[in-house]
Amino acid sequence: MLSGISLLFWPTAIAQLDWTPLWIGSIFSGLLSFLGHTLNNVGIRMIGASTASIIGSSSPALTALVAWITISETLNVIQRWGLMLSHSGSRYLVEKAL
């Protein structure tokens, strides 16, 4: 929202931008962020804070895995071992908590 407001104070040559896509994108991004935070809070209430934090701690490993699958990001051997170790540890802790 602040980035959209800051464009109001930009020089006049750039002020001739089409503002409609900017505002639509800002509102869409805000709604998705709100939905994500709401679903996160509902999930924490459903499964408990400790289990949710264990699952949330696997987020960096899942991000690396999705990047490897979708954009062919290269992962070296140590990173692959780290992914497996992170996944195994998270899975063990979640099963132990349930």
Side-chain angles (χ1 to χ4, degrees), residues 20-94:
T20 305
L22 177 71
W23 287 110
I24 291 173
S26 298
I27 292 170
F28 185 68
S29 176
L31 290 174
L32 284 180
S33 295
F34 176 75
L35 179 66
H37 288 291
T38 302
L39 290 176
N40 184 43
N41 290 336
V42 169
I44 289 172
R45 287 185 182 171
M46 289 176 66
I47 64 173
S50 60
T51 306
S53 67
I54 293 169
I55 294 170
S57 68
S58 65
S59 180
L62 290 175
T63 301
L65 185 63
V66 169
W68 178 62
I69 292 169
T70 58
I71 61 173
S72 301
E73 183 73 26
T74 57
L75 299 174
N76 61 32
V77 175
I78 295 173
Q79 291 169 328
R80 289 180 190 165
W81 275 103
L83 282 172
M84 288 189 292
L85 182 65
S86 173
H87 174 72
S88 300
S90 295
R91 184 174 177 164
Y92 171 75
L93 290 173
V94 167

